[in-house]
Amino acid sequence: MQLSIPKGFFMGAAMSGPQTEGAYKKDHRLESFWDTWSDLSISDFYNKVGSYVGNNFYEKYEEDIKLFKSLHLDSFRTSIQWTRLMDQNQKLNPEGAAFYHKVCACAKDNGIELFMNLYHFDMPAYLYARGGWENREVVEAYATYARTAFREFGKEIRYWFTFNEPIVEPDQEYRSGNWYPFIKDERRGLQVQYHIALAHSLAVREFHKAKEEGYLLDDAQIGLINAFAPPYTKENPTPEDLEALRMTDGIHNRWWLDLCTSGTLPKDVFDTLKEYHAAPEVRPGDEEILKCGRVDWLGFNYYQPTRVQAPKEKLDESGYPRFADPYIWPERRMNVYRGWEIYPKGIYDFGMKMKREYPEMKFFISENGMGVEHEDRFRNEDGEIQDDYRIEFVRDHLEWVFKAIEEGAQCVGYHYWGVIDNWSWSNAFKNRYGFIEVDLMNNYERRLKKSARWIKDLIEQRDNGED
Ligand code: FCB
């Protein structure tokens, strides 16, 4: 199939502040949750590479934005680091702000649209020490941070996002215990998730206030980004499998989709949580706050589908509810390096779900990408990484994106995750995602991979009007 990118469709790059900037002590940047974890236990990070370095975007942002331009990418997302923009008294740190002003100016000079996210798993350490998202004061502090950012950069940024994947911290830090502080407590996870929903809603409220007061561009938009993939179960499901599907979809997807489209959280999910005595604590006035959570559009990060089945036990070893067990689809195709299933059709299924259930809401693919270990072995004689697997991955996904659009999905763009190799949490630089390689042994030098030339040609065809 010949891929042809529609006019006006965003084709860009996705990245985040904490995974790229480095310079972790510059500009009086505060310590983050990730720095604390790196200091405490560096062996938890692949090759003992902690959160300190990123890919040196802090020094290289001009070069990187020019590279985006040279690949014909028209937009890119990054995030402001809360730890860089604000001081511990919750006032603007002018040195940190200066860096983001430079990034905004550089994007503008290169004619690239900047999408700015406010939070990408990067809690300031001093707030984490006060209980992080379990503490309502932190929710308030986030709203203050959002207000400050809207007012400081309101005339420079059109596309704003409150959170990237708000599901990940409750999951990784509190439910599955994969990330520091390795807690496995469904109830605490749900409380954290609920507080993030409040934080998001307060930030959207701040966004509207800032707009009314003339701080923002007239056409500024606010959104939320999540890994919204609809879950699948077995072919001939039992009622219990369908129940597992309902709760997985409810907690991971509908929670955010309902909040962002109607300013409410799904009642059926809360009812079930109450049966298990696992519902989050709700305070008077919260309902009003959540009503502010509606957004202009959504970002959909997609790497892999979720497949679930009825849980073997209804409670886990600590007596917390267990709503689903993973289901291994016999026909699955794997990215063996990352351990994630590759299922491009999931992107289309999401588009169709949006069309059916939330027809007013537009979205873009805000992350999609393929992480591969030891890419060195794919170098040709000229030293260029021949990442044909990545080209195939992106092509397969784009085909399903365009099919969904043809069938009425309101998908308005595609951002590839990790256009430039970056630091990926506890996996550090293990899996490389980029169209552009970063040489860690050679001053973070950037080098194009084969996929970079491929994406450039693809977008160029559109830009030259060759439909
Ligand atoms: C997503 C995250 C992003 C990156 C990719 C690989 O879940 O949003 O920060 O680490 O996974």
Side-chain angles (χ1 to χ4, degrees):
M1 180 182 164
Q2 178 68 25
L3 282 181
S4 134
I5 302 172
K7 296 242 183 287
F9 183 84
F10 291 114
M11 279 297 288
M15 48 187 253
S16 80
Q19 292 172 272
T20 60
E21 286 174 18
Y24 82 118
K25 288 205 165 154
K26 290 242 171 87
D27 316 321
H28 293 100
R29 177 185 172 276
L30 303 177
E31 182 180 322
S32 80
F33 164 88
W34 290 96
D35 305 331
T36 310
W37 182 9
S38 303
D39 287 351
L40 276 173
S41 183
I42 194 68
S43 338
D44 293 347
F45 295 83
Y46 181 78
N47 272 349
K48 302 194 179 167
V49 176
S51 56
Y52 319 123
V53 292
N55 62 19
N56 206 16
F57 181 72
Y58 186 88
E59 303 288 344
K60 292 195 175 258
Y61 71 92
E62 282 185 281
E63 185 188 329
D64 287 353
I65 293 173
K66 284 191 185 129
L67 268 175
F68 295 158
K69 182 76 185 165
S70 74
L71 298 183
H72 284 242
L73 299 169
D74 52 38
S75 45
F76 81 99
R77 165 174 55 119
T78 187
S79 65
I80 294 177
Q81 293 196 71
W82 189 348
T83 47
R84 200 182 290 287
L85 189 68
M86 304 292 279
D87 68 18
Q88 287 219 23
N89 300 316
Q90 297 183 43
K91 297 273 177 289
L92 184 92
N93 164 8
E95 290 167 81
F99 171 69
Y100 297 110
H101 283 301
K102 285 193 288 188
V103 172
C104 292
C106 185
K108 189 166 180 214
D109 289 349
N110 284 281
I112 292 194
E113 198 69 63
L114 178 58
F115 291 24
M116 192 56 99
N117 176 34
L118 290 173
Y119 188 85
H120 202 119
F121 322 152
D122 53 336
M123 173 77 60
Y126 80 100
L127 292 173
Y128 187 74
R130 293 184 197 166
W133 291 120
E134 289 186 276
N135 181 348
R136 288 229 175 195
E137 274 175 38
V138 171
V139 173
E140 295 291 336
Y142 172 78
T144 305
Y145 157 54
R147 176 167 62 244
T148 310
F150 294 142
R151 281 152 202 250
E152 181 69 18
F153 302 102
K155 297 292 182 199
E156 292 156 69
I157 294 166
R158 180 167 294 109
Y159 299 115
W160 290 92
F161 298 89
T162 56
F163 280 85
N164 176 74
E165 296 187 356
I167 191 67
V168 162
E169 279 185 292
D171 254 3
Q172 299 288 64
E173 292 163 25
Y174 295 90
R175 286 202 280 250
S176 66
N178 288 335
W179 283 357
Y180 178 79
F182 315 111
I183 294 165
K184 287 188 180 179
D185 182 332
E186 184 73 34
R187 196 171 300 139
R188 283 174 75 181
L190 285 159
Q191 191 65 51
V192 162
Q193 177 160 332
Y194 180 69
H195 282 163
I196 296 178
L198 290 175
H200 157 81
S201 307
L202 286 174
V204 180
R205 188 161 87 183
E206 290 297 341
F207 175 86
H208 291 303
K209 265 196 226 157
K211 206 172 206 180
E212 269 162 34
E213 290 170 23
Y215 286 100
L216 301 185
L217 296 172
D218 290 340
D219 55 354
Q221 310 249 309
I222 186 83
L224 174 130
I225 292 168
N226 195 30
F228 290 115
Y232 303 90
T233 188
K234 296 170 175 165
E235 249 172 44
N236 295 306
T238 62
E240 290 76 22
D241 292 328
L242 294 175
E243 180 58 10
L245 205 59
R246 177 182 71 85
M247 279 307 279
T248 306
D249 193 36
I251 292 178
H252 287 250
N253 304 321
R254 284 190 290 123
W255 182 292
W256 306 105
L257 290 169
D258 288 4
L259 177 64
C260 289
T261 53
S262 63
T264 56
L265 296 174
K267 185 172 173 310
D268 64 295
V269 172
F270 268 69
D271 287 346
T272 305
L273 294 179
K274 279 183 199 144
E275 283 170 29
Y276 281 93
H277 307 287
E281 185 210 323
V282 173
R283 292 196 188 162
D286 284 0
E287 213 175 305
E288 288 309 305
I289 296 176
L290 295 172
K291 274 191 194 145
C292 305
R294 280 188 294 245
V295 298
D296 300 312
W297 66 334
L298 295 170
F300 168 41
N301 291 356
Y302 182 66
Y303 294 90
Q304 55 165 346
T306 308
R307 298 191 190 272
V308 295
Q309 59 184 330
K312 281 215 179 62
E313 309 286 344
K314 281 193 142 189
L315 297 178
D316 68 13
E317 62 274 17
S318 320
Y320 295 115
R322 197 180 166 84
F323 298 114
D325 279 352
Y327 169 61
I328 312 271
W329 185 39
E331 290 165 49
R332 71 180 185 169
R333 181 160 68 96
M334 291 296 284
N335 168 359
V336 288
Y337 314 101
R338 183 62 189 80
W340 283 350
E341 183 183 336
I342 301 181
Y343 187 65
K345 181 171 177 282
I347 229 163
Y348 165 86
D349 291 342
F350 173 76
M352 292 300 103
K353 179 185 158 117
M354 287 302 287
K355 181 184 157 189
R356 266 192 325 270
E357 294 170 25
Y358 305 95
E360 303 301 321
M361 182 57 71
K362 21 172 222 176
F363 66 93
F364 73 111
I365 309 302
S366 39
E367 286 184 26
N368 177 235
M370 188 179 189
V372 171
E373 211 177 332
H374 304 308
E375 282 202 307
D376 248 343
R377 66 202 143 120
F378 299 115
R379 260 182 228 292
N380 66 9
E381 312 86 77
D382 302 326
E384 186 189 74
I385 292 175
Q386 303 298 292
D387 51 347
D388 294 274
Y389 41 85
R390 182 164 290 113
I391 296 174
E392 184 190 293
F393 180 97
V394 176
R395 184 192 289 124
D396 289 353
H397 283 82
L398 280 176
E399 279 178 4
W400 284 107
V401 171
F402 296 144
K403 182 171 161 58
I405 294 174
E406 265 169 41
E407 294 180 24
Q410 290 209 62
C411 179
V412 297
Y414 175 94
H415 278 183
Y416 181 79
W417 172 264
V419 167
I420 304 179
D421 289 343
N422 63 26
W423 183 81
S424 219
W425 317 113
S426 51
N427 280 334
F429 280 91
K430 175 167 173 266
N431 303 307
R432 302 301 188 98
Y433 289 83
F435 293 147
I436 300 165
E437 176 193 355
V438 169
D439 187 344
L440 292 180
M441 296 305 168
N442 196 4
N443 203 24
Y444 303 94
E445 194 184 284
R446 274 66 168 143
R447 264 182 243 125
L448 301 188
K449 303 180 194 175
K450 183 176 177 184
S451 55
R453 291 189 285 113
W454 175 80
I455 198 77
K456 170 175 181 276
D457 289 347
L458 185 70
I459 310 174
E460 215 168 10
Q461 284 166 20
R462 172 193 66 186
D463 294 352
N464 294 339
E466 301 161 22
D467 289 326

